[in-house]
Amino acid sequence: MKIELNENKILFNNGTSSKEIHPFWLRERVNNEEYLDKKTQQRKFDPTSLETNIEVKSAKITKDILEINFNDGVNSKLKIEKIIEEFSKNDFLIQSIKREKWDSKLKNVHKFEYVDDIFEIREMYDLLIKFYKYGFIIFKNVPTEENFIVKFANQIGSVRRTNFGEYFNVKSVPNPNDLAYTSLALAPHTDNPYRNPVPCIQLLHCITNDVDGGLSTLVDGYKVTEDLKKKFKKYYDVLTRVKVKFKFIDKDVVLENWSELIRLDENNELKQVKFSPRLDFVPILEKEELDLYYRARNKISEMYNSDNYKIEFKLVPGDLMMMDNYRLLHGRTAFDLNEGSRYLQGCYIDYDSTEGKLRHLKRKFDI
Ligand SMILES: [Fe+2]
Protein backbone atom coordinates (compact mmCIF):
# COMPACT_ATOMS: atom_id res chain seq x y z
CA MET A 1 0.00 0.00 0.00
CA LYS A 2 1.31 3.42 -0.90
CA ILE A 3 0.41 6.97 -1.78
CA GLU A 4 1.15 8.22 -5.29
CA LEU A 5 0.79 11.48 -7.16
CA ASN A 6 -0.55 12.08 -10.64
CA GLU A 7 -0.27 15.81 -11.23
CA ASN A 8 -2.64 17.26 -8.62
CA LYS A 9 -4.38 14.01 -7.90
CA ILE A 10 -3.44 12.05 -4.82
CA LEU A 11 -3.82 8.32 -5.30
CA PHE A 12 -3.98 5.37 -2.96
CA ASN A 13 -2.37 2.25 -4.37
CA ASN A 14 -3.43 -0.93 -2.57
CA GLY A 15 -1.04 -3.16 -4.53
CA THR A 16 -3.47 -4.10 -7.28
CA SER A 17 -5.10 -0.82 -8.24
CA SER A 18 -4.70 2.89 -7.77
CA LYS A 19 -7.61 5.15 -6.85
CA GLU A 20 -7.91 8.88 -6.28
CA ILE A 21 -8.43 10.06 -2.69
CA HIS A 22 -11.14 12.68 -2.39
CA PRO A 23 -9.48 16.07 -1.76
CA PHE A 24 -12.03 16.88 0.93
CA TRP A 25 -11.03 13.70 2.84
CA LEU A 26 -7.48 15.05 2.95
CA ARG A 27 -8.61 18.60 3.75
CA GLU A 28 -10.55 17.29 6.78
CA ARG A 29 -7.32 15.82 8.08
CA VAL A 30 -5.14 18.94 8.04
CA ASN A 31 -3.16 18.82 11.24
CA ASN A 32 -1.58 22.26 11.56
CA GLU A 33 -1.86 23.64 15.07
CA GLU A 34 -4.42 26.12 13.84
CA TYR A 35 -6.76 23.35 12.75
CA LEU A 36 -6.11 20.43 15.08
CA ASP A 37 -5.73 20.25 18.85
CA LYS A 38 -2.55 18.22 19.32
CA LYS A 39 -3.51 16.82 22.71
CA THR A 40 -7.04 15.60 22.03
CA GLN A 41 -6.56 15.12 18.27
CA GLN A 42 -9.90 16.86 17.84
CA ARG A 43 -10.56 19.36 15.05
CA LYS A 44 -10.62 23.05 15.87
CA PHE A 45 -12.84 23.63 12.84
CA ASP A 46 -16.19 22.30 11.75
CA PRO A 47 -15.73 20.51 8.41
CA THR A 48 -19.45 20.79 7.63
CA SER A 49 -18.96 24.57 7.32
CA LEU A 50 -16.53 24.10 4.39
CA GLU A 51 -17.54 23.89 0.75
CA THR A 52 -17.24 20.26 -0.37
CA ASN A 53 -15.70 21.17 -3.74
CA ILE A 54 -12.22 21.62 -2.25
CA GLU A 55 -9.40 20.95 -4.71
CA VAL A 56 -5.71 20.20 -4.46
CA LYS A 57 -3.72 23.03 -6.03
CA SER A 58 -0.37 21.29 -5.71
CA ALA A 59 1.12 18.36 -3.84
CA LYS A 60 4.48 16.74 -3.28
CA ILE A 61 5.84 13.73 -1.44
CA THR A 62 9.05 14.06 0.54
CA LYS A 63 10.10 10.80 2.23
CA ASP A 64 7.18 9.89 4.48
CA ILE A 65 5.34 13.22 4.27
CA LEU A 66 2.65 14.33 1.85
CA GLU A 67 2.50 18.10 1.51
CA ILE A 68 -0.65 19.59 0.02
CA ASN A 69 -1.76 23.09 -0.96
CA PHE A 70 -5.53 23.29 -1.13
CA ASN A 71 -7.38 25.82 -3.26
CA ASP A 72 -8.80 27.53 -0.16
CA GLY A 73 -5.30 28.67 0.81
CA VAL A 74 -4.69 25.98 3.45
CA ASN A 75 -1.38 24.12 3.37
CA SER A 76 -0.74 20.93 5.28
CA LYS A 77 1.82 18.20 5.83
CA LEU A 78 0.36 14.75 6.46
CA LYS A 79 2.20 11.62 7.52
CA ILE A 80 1.75 9.01 4.79
CA GLU A 81 1.78 6.19 7.34
CA LYS A 82 -1.27 7.71 9.05
CA ILE A 83 -3.20 7.97 5.80
CA ILE A 84 -2.47 4.32 4.97
CA GLU A 85 -3.54 3.26 8.45
CA GLU A 86 -6.94 4.81 7.85
CA PHE A 87 -7.53 2.70 4.77
CA SER A 88 -8.21 -0.29 6.89
CA LYS A 89 -11.92 -0.07 7.59
CA ASN A 90 -11.63 -2.47 10.51
CA ASP A 91 -10.38 -1.65 13.95
CA PHE A 92 -6.82 -2.54 13.18
CA LEU A 93 -5.74 -3.50 16.67
CA ILE A 94 -8.71 -5.57 17.81
CA GLN A 95 -9.40 -7.20 14.43
CA SER A 96 -5.77 -8.19 14.08
CA ILE A 97 -5.92 -10.41 17.17
CA LYS A 98 -6.63 -13.91 15.92
CA ARG A 99 -9.30 -15.65 17.98
CA GLU A 100 -8.22 -19.16 18.94
CA LYS A 101 -11.10 -21.61 18.97
CA TRP A 102 -10.92 -24.08 21.82
CA ASP A 103 -12.76 -27.05 23.28
CA SER A 104 -12.39 -29.34 26.31
CA LYS A 105 -8.83 -30.16 25.26
CA LEU A 106 -7.68 -26.62 26.00
CA LYS A 107 -4.46 -27.12 27.91
CA ASN A 108 -3.67 -23.81 29.50
CA VAL A 109 -6.21 -21.96 31.53
CA HIS A 110 -4.44 -18.62 31.47
CA LYS A 111 -3.76 -17.43 34.99
CA PHE A 112 -1.79 -14.33 35.92
CA GLU A 113 -0.55 -13.04 39.22
CA TYR A 114 -2.23 -9.81 40.28
CA VAL A 115 0.01 -6.90 41.27
CA ASP A 116 -1.06 -3.45 42.45
CA ASP A 117 -0.14 -1.49 39.34
CA ILE A 118 -1.17 -4.21 36.90
CA PHE A 119 -3.41 -1.94 34.82
CA GLU A 120 -0.57 0.33 33.79
CA ILE A 121 2.23 -2.12 33.08
CA ARG A 122 3.34 -3.73 29.84
CA GLU A 123 2.07 -7.17 30.95
CA MET A 124 -1.48 -5.89 30.97
CA TYR A 125 -1.24 -5.39 27.23
CA ASP A 126 -0.29 -9.06 26.79
CA LEU A 127 -3.08 -10.14 29.14
CA LEU A 128 -5.66 -8.22 27.16
CA ILE A 129 -4.40 -9.77 23.93
CA LYS A 130 -4.81 -13.21 25.58
CA PHE A 131 -8.31 -12.21 26.64
CA TYR A 132 -9.27 -11.42 23.05
CA LYS A 133 -7.62 -14.62 21.82
CA TYR A 134 -9.33 -17.04 24.17
CA GLY A 135 -12.30 -15.06 25.46
CA PHE A 136 -11.22 -15.24 29.10
CA ILE A 137 -8.32 -14.80 31.52
CA ILE A 138 -7.94 -15.36 35.24
CA PHE A 139 -6.06 -13.12 37.66
CA LYS A 140 -4.72 -14.83 40.78
CA ASN A 141 -4.38 -13.42 44.29
CA VAL A 142 -6.62 -10.43 43.78
CA PRO A 143 -7.35 -9.00 47.27
CA THR A 144 -10.49 -10.67 48.60
CA GLU A 145 -11.89 -7.45 50.02
CA GLU A 146 -15.61 -6.92 49.65
CA ASN A 147 -16.46 -4.97 46.49
CA PHE A 148 -12.85 -4.97 45.30
CA ILE A 149 -14.32 -6.11 41.99
CA VAL A 150 -15.69 -2.61 41.35
CA LYS A 151 -12.28 -1.01 41.99
CA PHE A 152 -10.73 -3.60 39.69
CA ALA A 153 -13.26 -3.02 36.90
CA ASN A 154 -12.91 0.74 37.12
CA GLN A 155 -9.19 0.50 36.59
CA ILE A 156 -9.64 -1.33 33.30
CA GLY A 157 -12.43 1.02 32.25
CA SER A 158 -15.85 1.66 33.79
CA VAL A 159 -18.28 -0.64 35.53
CA ARG A 160 -21.43 -1.25 33.51
CA ARG A 161 -24.09 -0.68 36.09
CA THR A 162 -27.40 -2.53 35.71
CA ASN A 163 -30.64 -2.58 37.67
CA PHE A 164 -28.91 -5.17 39.91
CA GLY A 165 -26.50 -2.41 40.91
CA GLU A 166 -22.80 -1.90 40.26
CA TYR A 167 -22.00 -5.48 41.20
CA PHE A 168 -23.82 -8.64 42.25
CA ASN A 169 -23.16 -11.29 44.87
CA VAL A 170 -23.29 -14.91 43.77
CA LYS A 171 -24.28 -16.82 46.86
CA SER A 172 -27.31 -18.79 47.95
CA VAL A 173 -30.09 -16.61 49.27
CA PRO A 174 -33.70 -17.33 50.30
CA ASN A 175 -36.33 -16.46 47.63
CA PRO A 176 -33.84 -15.81 44.83
CA ASN A 177 -34.92 -13.87 41.72
CA ASP A 178 -32.48 -15.93 39.64
CA LEU A 179 -31.21 -19.50 39.79
CA ALA A 180 -27.67 -18.15 40.10
CA TYR A 181 -28.43 -17.44 43.74
CA THR A 182 -29.10 -21.09 44.65
CA SER A 183 -26.74 -24.06 45.00
CA LEU A 184 -28.15 -25.77 41.89
CA ALA A 185 -26.01 -26.57 38.87
CA LEU A 186 -26.14 -23.92 36.17
CA ALA A 187 -25.96 -25.13 32.58
CA PRO A 188 -23.74 -23.11 30.25
CA HIS A 189 -25.43 -19.83 29.37
CA THR A 190 -24.66 -16.26 28.46
CA ASP A 191 -25.66 -13.52 30.87
CA ASN A 192 -28.40 -10.95 30.51
CA PRO A 193 -29.52 -11.61 26.91
CA TYR A 194 -32.61 -9.52 27.73
CA ARG A 195 -30.66 -6.28 28.14
CA ASN A 196 -30.18 -3.79 25.37
CA PRO A 197 -27.27 -3.70 24.85
CA VAL A 198 -26.15 -6.95 26.48
CA PRO A 199 -23.18 -6.39 28.83
CA CYS A 200 -20.03 -7.41 26.96
CA ILE A 201 -17.71 -8.76 29.65
CA GLN A 202 -18.34 -10.38 33.01
CA LEU A 203 -15.88 -10.18 35.89
CA LEU A 204 -16.25 -12.79 38.62
CA HIS A 205 -14.22 -12.62 41.80
CA CYS A 206 -14.04 -15.55 44.22
CA ILE A 207 -14.14 -14.42 47.87
CA THR A 208 -14.71 -17.81 49.52
CA ASN A 209 -15.18 -21.31 48.19
CA ASP A 210 -15.09 -24.14 50.75
CA VAL A 211 -17.38 -26.53 48.89
CA ASP A 212 -16.26 -29.53 46.87
CA GLY A 213 -18.57 -28.92 43.93
CA GLY A 214 -19.38 -25.52 42.51
CA LEU A 215 -16.80 -25.86 39.74
CA SER A 216 -16.85 -23.14 37.13
CA THR A 217 -17.53 -24.22 33.58
CA LEU A 218 -16.74 -22.40 30.34
CA VAL A 219 -17.60 -23.18 26.73
CA ASP A 220 -16.25 -21.42 23.65
CA GLY A 221 -19.31 -20.33 21.64
CA TYR A 222 -17.03 -19.51 18.74
CA LYS A 223 -15.83 -23.11 18.48
CA VAL A 224 -19.33 -24.60 18.92
CA THR A 225 -20.96 -22.37 16.32
CA GLU A 226 -18.16 -23.04 13.83
CA ASP A 227 -18.63 -26.80 14.32
CA LEU A 228 -22.39 -26.43 14.00
CA LYS A 229 -21.87 -24.58 10.72
CA LYS A 230 -19.62 -27.38 9.42
CA LYS A 231 -21.78 -30.31 10.48
CA PHE A 232 -25.34 -28.98 10.61
CA LYS A 233 -25.51 -26.05 8.19
CA LYS A 234 -29.34 -25.88 8.21
CA TYR A 235 -29.36 -25.58 11.98
CA TYR A 236 -26.68 -22.92 11.86
CA ASP A 237 -28.67 -20.99 9.26
CA VAL A 238 -31.91 -21.03 11.21
CA LEU A 239 -30.19 -19.93 14.42
CA THR A 240 -28.56 -17.02 12.61
CA ARG A 241 -31.93 -16.11 11.02
CA VAL A 242 -34.67 -16.38 13.64
CA LYS A 243 -34.95 -13.59 16.20
CA VAL A 244 -36.28 -14.59 19.58
CA LYS A 245 -37.35 -12.53 22.54
CA PHE A 246 -35.39 -12.72 25.77
CA LYS A 247 -37.26 -11.55 28.79
CA PHE A 248 -36.56 -10.87 32.46
CA ILE A 249 -39.14 -9.73 34.97
CA ASP A 250 -38.49 -8.32 38.41
CA LYS A 251 -40.77 -6.35 40.70
CA ASP A 252 -39.99 -2.94 39.24
CA VAL A 253 -38.63 -3.70 35.78
CA VAL A 254 -39.47 -5.69 32.64
CA LEU A 255 -36.48 -6.19 30.36
CA GLU A 256 -36.83 -7.48 26.80
CA ASN A 257 -34.50 -7.80 23.85
CA TRP A 258 -34.89 -9.57 20.49
CA SER A 259 -31.99 -11.33 18.84
CA GLU A 260 -30.81 -14.44 17.01
CA LEU A 261 -29.10 -17.15 19.12
CA ILE A 262 -26.10 -16.72 16.81
CA ARG A 263 -25.60 -13.10 15.76
CA LEU A 264 -23.37 -12.40 12.78
CA ASP A 265 -21.65 -9.20 11.75
CA GLU A 266 -21.70 -7.58 8.30
CA ASN A 267 -18.98 -10.02 7.15
CA ASN A 268 -21.01 -13.02 8.35
CA GLU A 269 -18.52 -13.61 11.14
CA LEU A 270 -19.67 -14.43 14.67
CA LYS A 271 -20.56 -11.30 16.60
CA GLN A 272 -22.39 -12.75 19.58
CA VAL A 273 -23.82 -15.95 20.96
CA LYS A 274 -26.86 -15.84 23.19
CA PHE A 275 -28.06 -18.86 25.09
CA SER A 276 -30.39 -18.87 28.05
CA PRO A 277 -33.19 -21.34 27.30
CA ARG A 278 -35.16 -20.44 30.41
CA LEU A 279 -35.65 -16.90 29.17
CA ASP A 280 -36.15 -17.16 25.40
CA PHE A 281 -39.45 -16.90 23.54
CA VAL A 282 -39.55 -17.64 19.84
CA PRO A 283 -42.43 -15.98 17.94
CA ILE A 284 -45.10 -18.02 16.15
CA LEU A 285 -43.51 -18.80 12.78
CA GLU A 286 -44.42 -21.20 9.98
CA LYS A 287 -44.63 -24.69 11.44
CA GLU A 288 -41.71 -25.96 9.28
CA GLU A 289 -39.50 -23.04 10.32
CA LEU A 290 -40.31 -23.59 14.00
CA ASP A 291 -39.73 -27.30 13.60
CA LEU A 292 -36.26 -26.58 12.24
CA TYR A 293 -35.61 -23.95 14.91
CA TYR A 294 -36.49 -26.32 17.77
CA ARG A 295 -34.30 -29.08 16.38
CA ALA A 296 -31.48 -26.59 15.91
CA ARG A 297 -31.82 -25.24 19.44
CA ASN A 298 -31.74 -28.78 20.84
CA LYS A 299 -28.62 -29.54 18.83
CA ILE A 300 -26.74 -26.43 19.93
CA SER A 301 -27.84 -27.03 23.51
CA GLU A 302 -26.49 -30.59 23.29
CA MET A 303 -23.19 -29.22 21.98
CA TYR A 304 -22.92 -26.44 24.58
CA ASN A 305 -23.56 -29.00 27.33
CA SER A 306 -21.32 -31.68 25.89
CA ASP A 307 -18.13 -32.70 27.67
CA ASN A 308 -16.33 -32.29 24.35
CA TYR A 309 -16.52 -28.52 24.56
CA LYS A 310 -16.67 -27.73 28.26
CA ILE A 311 -13.75 -26.93 30.54
CA GLU A 312 -14.21 -27.15 34.31
CA PHE A 313 -12.04 -25.73 37.04
CA LYS A 314 -12.34 -24.50 40.57
CA LEU A 315 -12.09 -20.81 41.36
CA VAL A 316 -10.25 -20.35 44.64
CA PRO A 317 -10.33 -17.25 46.87
CA GLY A 318 -8.47 -14.43 45.12
CA ASP A 319 -9.19 -15.70 41.61
CA LEU A 320 -10.81 -13.14 39.38
CA MET A 321 -12.06 -14.33 36.01
CA MET A 322 -12.73 -11.97 33.14
CA MET A 323 -14.86 -13.53 30.39
CA ASP A 324 -16.33 -12.38 27.12
CA ASN A 325 -20.10 -12.62 27.46
CA TYR A 326 -20.57 -12.32 23.68
CA ARG A 327 -18.39 -15.34 22.97
CA LEU A 328 -18.26 -17.70 25.96
CA LEU A 329 -20.94 -19.53 27.84
CA HIS A 330 -20.43 -20.06 31.54
CA GLY A 331 -22.02 -22.18 34.22
CA ARG A 332 -21.20 -24.14 37.33
CA THR A 333 -21.67 -27.56 38.83
CA ALA A 334 -23.98 -28.05 41.82
CA PHE A 335 -22.63 -27.84 45.34
CA ASP A 336 -23.68 -28.75 48.85
CA LEU A 337 -24.19 -25.82 51.18
CA ASN A 338 -23.63 -28.06 54.21
CA GLU A 339 -19.96 -28.28 53.25
CA GLY A 340 -19.35 -24.57 53.70
CA SER A 341 -19.86 -21.39 51.78
CA ARG A 342 -19.30 -20.32 48.21
CA TYR A 343 -19.28 -16.60 47.65
CA LEU A 344 -18.39 -14.76 44.47
CA GLN A 345 -18.87 -11.18 43.43
CA GLY A 346 -19.45 -10.18 39.85
CA CYS A 347 -19.86 -7.12 37.69
CA TYR A 348 -19.86 -6.16 34.03
CA ILE A 349 -17.78 -3.95 31.82
CA ASP A 350 -18.18 -3.25 28.12
CA TYR A 351 -15.77 -3.58 25.23
CA ASP A 352 -14.95 0.13 25.31
CA SER A 353 -13.12 -0.58 28.60
CA THR A 354 -10.85 -3.35 27.32
CA GLU A 355 -10.39 -1.84 23.86
CA GLY A 356 -9.67 1.60 25.30
CA LYS A 357 -7.12 0.16 27.75
CA LEU A 358 -5.47 -1.92 25.05
CA ARG A 359 -5.03 1.08 22.72
CA HIS A 360 -3.78 3.19 25.63
CA LEU A 361 -1.15 0.60 26.58
CA LYS A 362 -0.12 0.22 22.95
CA ARG A 363 0.44 3.98 22.77
CA LYS A 364 2.12 4.15 26.19
CA PHE A 365 4.65 1.39 25.50
CA ASP A 366 4.97 2.18 21.80
CA ILE A 367 4.13 -1.40 20.85
FE1 LIG B 1 -24.37 -16.21 34.58
PDB file of all heavy atoms in Angstrom, residues 89-101:
ATOM      1  N   LYS A  89     -10.611  -0.472   7.050  1.00  0.00           N
ATOM      2  CA  LYS A  89     -11.918  -0.071   7.585  1.00  0.00           C
ATOM      3  C   LYS A  89     -12.168  -0.713   8.946  1.00  0.00           C
ATOM      4  O   LYS A  89     -13.001  -0.279   9.707  1.00  0.00           O
ATOM      5  CB  LYS A  89     -13.025  -0.458   6.610  1.00  0.00           C
ATOM      6  CG  LYS A  89     -13.047   0.457   5.400  1.00  0.00           C
ATOM      7  CD  LYS A  89     -14.153   0.060   4.452  1.00  0.00           C
ATOM      8  CE  LYS A  89     -13.963   0.770   3.129  1.00  0.00           C
ATOM      9  NZ  LYS A  89     -14.220  -0.095   1.990  1.00  0.00           N
ATOM     10  N   ASN A  90     -11.446  -1.790   9.225  1.00  0.00           N
ATOM     11  CA  ASN A  90     -11.635  -2.467  10.510  1.00  0.00           C
ATOM     12  C   ASN A  90     -10.849  -1.776  11.599  1.00  0.00           C
ATOM     13  O   ASN A  90      -9.940  -1.009  11.333  1.00  0.00           O
ATOM     14  CB  ASN A  90     -11.129  -3.906  10.422  1.00  0.00           C
ATOM     15  CG  ASN A  90     -12.039  -4.735   9.557  1.00  0.00           C
ATOM     16  OD1 ASN A  90     -13.233  -4.480   9.494  1.00  0.00           O
ATOM     17  ND2 ASN A  90     -11.471  -5.716   8.894  1.00  0.00           N
ATOM     18  N   ASP A  91     -11.205  -2.101  12.833  1.00  0.00           N
ATOM     19  CA  ASP A  91     -10.385  -1.655  13.950  1.00  0.00           C
ATOM     20  C   ASP A  91      -9.107  -2.482  13.860  1.00  0.00           C
ATOM     21  O   ASP A  91      -9.117  -3.679  14.104  1.00  0.00           O
ATOM     22  CB  ASP A  91     -11.102  -1.924  15.265  1.00  0.00           C
ATOM     23  CG  ASP A  91     -10.272  -1.457  16.434  1.00  0.00           C
ATOM     24  OD1 ASP A  91      -9.053  -1.693  16.423  1.00  0.00           O
ATOM     25  OD2 ASP A  91     -10.845  -0.877  17.358  1.00  0.00           O
ATOM     26  N   PHE A  92      -8.049  -1.832  13.485  1.00  0.00           N
ATOM     27  CA  PHE A  92      -6.824  -2.545  13.180  1.00  0.00           C
ATOM     28  C   PHE A  92      -6.327  -3.394  14.341  1.00  0.00           C
ATOM     29  O   PHE A  92      -5.988  -4.551  14.185  1.00  0.00           O
ATOM     30  CB  PHE A  92      -5.761  -1.528  12.756  1.00  0.00           C
ATOM     31  CG  PHE A  92      -4.884  -2.049  11.673  1.00  0.00           C
ATOM     32  CD1 PHE A  92      -5.433  -2.419  10.456  1.00  0.00           C
ATOM     33  CD2 PHE A  92      -3.526  -2.179  11.863  1.00  0.00           C
ATOM     34  CE1 PHE A  92      -4.639  -2.913   9.441  1.00  0.00           C
ATOM     35  CE2 PHE A  92      -2.719  -2.676  10.860  1.00  0.00           C
ATOM     36  CZ  PHE A  92      -3.275  -3.043   9.647  1.00  0.00           C
ATOM     37  N   LEU A  93      -6.312  -2.805  15.516  1.00  0.00           N
ATOM     38  CA  LEU A  93      -5.736  -3.501  16.666  1.00  0.00           C
ATOM     39  C   LEU A  93      -6.585  -4.711  17.077  1.00  0.00           C
ATOM     40  O   LEU A  93      -6.092  -5.834  17.161  1.00  0.00           O
ATOM     41  CB  LEU A  93      -5.583  -2.520  17.842  1.00  0.00           C
ATOM     42  CG  LEU A  93      -5.017  -3.096  19.123  1.00  0.00           C
ATOM     43  CD1 LEU A  93      -3.663  -3.730  18.881  1.00  0.00           C
ATOM     44  CD2 LEU A  93      -4.919  -2.018  20.189  1.00  0.00           C
ATOM     45  N   ILE A  94      -7.863  -4.486  17.306  1.00  0.00           N
ATOM     46  CA  ILE A  94      -8.712  -5.573  17.809  1.00  0.00           C
ATOM     47  C   ILE A  94      -8.902  -6.658  16.736  1.00  0.00           C
ATOM     48  O   ILE A  94      -8.795  -7.846  17.017  1.00  0.00           O
ATOM     49  CB  ILE A  94     -10.091  -5.035  18.270  1.00  0.00           C
ATOM     50  CG1 ILE A  94      -9.916  -3.884  19.274  1.00  0.00           C
ATOM     51  CG2 ILE A  94     -10.952  -6.148  18.866  1.00  0.00           C
ATOM     52  CD1 ILE A  94      -9.200  -4.228  20.562  1.00  0.00           C
ATOM     53  N   GLN A  95      -9.155  -6.225  15.497  1.00  0.00           N
ATOM     54  CA  GLN A  95      -9.396  -7.202  14.428  1.00  0.00           C
ATOM     55  C   GLN A  95      -8.153  -8.029  14.108  1.00  0.00           C
ATOM     56  O   GLN A  95      -8.251  -9.117  13.569  1.00  0.00           O
ATOM     57  CB  GLN A  95      -9.853  -6.501  13.144  1.00  0.00           C
ATOM     58  CG  GLN A  95     -11.140  -5.730  13.284  1.00  0.00           C
ATOM     59  CD  GLN A  95     -12.357  -6.625  13.382  1.00  0.00           C
ATOM     60  OE1 GLN A  95     -12.359  -7.726  12.853  1.00  0.00           O
ATOM     61  NE2 GLN A  95     -13.379  -6.169  14.079  1.00  0.00           N
ATOM     62  N   SER A  96      -6.989  -7.467  14.424  1.00  0.00           N
ATOM     63  CA  SER A  96      -5.765  -8.195  14.078  1.00  0.00           C
ATOM     64  C   SER A  96      -5.453  -9.316  15.086  1.00  0.00           C
ATOM     65  O   SER A  96      -4.591 -10.145  14.835  1.00  0.00           O
ATOM     66  CB  SER A  96      -4.577  -7.228  13.998  1.00  0.00           C
ATOM     67  OG  SER A  96      -4.297  -6.733  15.285  1.00  0.00           O
ATOM     68  N   ILE A  97      -6.162  -9.342  16.190  1.00  0.00           N
ATOM     69  CA  ILE A  97      -5.925 -10.412  17.173  1.00  0.00           C
ATOM     70  C   ILE A  97      -6.696 -11.648  16.712  1.00  0.00           C
ATOM     71  O   ILE A  97      -7.921 -11.617  16.607  1.00  0.00           O
ATOM     72  CB  ILE A  97      -6.400 -10.002  18.586  1.00  0.00           C
ATOM     73  CG1 ILE A  97      -5.774  -8.667  18.991  1.00  0.00           C
ATOM     74  CG2 ILE A  97      -6.080 -11.097  19.604  1.00  0.00           C
ATOM     75  CD1 ILE A  97      -6.369  -8.061  20.253  1.00  0.00           C
ATOM     76  N   LYS A  98      -5.971 -12.701  16.439  1.00  0.00           N
ATOM     77  CA  LYS A  98      -6.630 -13.908  15.922  1.00  0.00           C
ATOM     78  C   LYS A  98      -7.299 -14.671  17.066  1.00  0.00           C
ATOM     79  O   LYS A  98      -6.650 -15.025  18.044  1.00  0.00           O
ATOM     80  CB  LYS A  98      -5.583 -14.798  15.239  1.00  0.00           C
ATOM     81  CG  LYS A  98      -6.203 -15.863  14.387  1.00  0.00           C
ATOM     82  CD  LYS A  98      -5.130 -16.668  13.656  1.00  0.00           C
ATOM     83  CE  LYS A  98      -5.710 -17.881  12.979  1.00  0.00           C
ATOM     84  NZ  LYS A  98      -6.261 -18.880  13.887  1.00  0.00           N
ATOM     85  N   ARG A  99      -8.592 -14.891  16.937  1.00  0.00           N
ATOM     86  CA  ARG A  99      -9.300 -15.645  17.979  1.00  0.00           C
ATOM     87  C   ARG A  99      -8.952 -17.123  17.843  1.00  0.00           C
ATOM     88  O   ARG A  99      -9.029 -17.681  16.751  1.00  0.00           O
ATOM     89  CB  ARG A  99     -10.810 -15.457  17.826  1.00  0.00           C
ATOM     90  CG  ARG A  99     -11.267 -14.082  18.240  1.00  0.00           C
ATOM     91  CD  ARG A  99     -12.772 -13.983  18.239  1.00  0.00           C
ATOM     92  NE  ARG A  99     -13.327 -13.941  16.901  1.00  0.00           N
ATOM     93  CZ  ARG A  99     -14.613 -13.702  16.634  1.00  0.00           C
ATOM     94  NH1 ARG A  99     -15.461 -13.483  17.621  1.00  0.00           N
ATOM     95  NH2 ARG A  99     -15.055 -13.674  15.401  1.00  0.00           N
ATOM     96  N   GLU A 100      -8.558 -17.731  18.942  1.00  0.00           N
ATOM     97  CA  GLU A 100      -8.221 -19.160  18.937  1.00  0.00           C
ATOM     98  C   GLU A 100      -9.441 -19.932  19.420  1.00  0.00           C
ATOM     99  O   GLU A 100      -9.863 -19.760  20.565  1.00  0.00           O
ATOM    100  CB  GLU A 100      -7.054 -19.439  19.908  1.00  0.00           C
ATOM    101  CG  GLU A 100      -5.806 -18.635  19.646  1.00  0.00           C
ATOM    102  CD  GLU A 100      -4.896 -19.284  18.614  1.00  0.00           C
ATOM    103  OE1 GLU A 100      -5.139 -20.448  18.272  1.00  0.00           O
ATOM    104  OE2 GLU A 100      -3.967 -18.590  18.177  1.00  0.00           O
ATOM    105  N   LYS A 101      -9.961 -20.787  18.543  1.00  0.00           N
ATOM    106  CA  LYS A 101     -11.101 -21.608  18.971  1.00  0.00           C
ATOM    107  C   LYS A 101     -10.601 -22.692  19.912  1.00  0.00           C
ATOM    108  O   LYS A 101      -9.522 -23.224  19.707  1.00  0.00           O
ATOM    109  CB  LYS A 101     -11.744 -22.290  17.757  1.00  0.00           C
ATOM    110  CG  LYS A 101     -12.557 -21.351  16.908  1.00  0.00           C
ATOM    111  CD  LYS A 101     -13.021 -22.043  15.661  1.00  0.00           C
ATOM    112  CE  LYS A 101     -11.925 -22.017  14.644  1.00  0.00           C
ATOM    113  NZ  LYS A 101     -12.258 -22.328  13.289  1.00  0.00           N
TER     114      LYS A 101
END
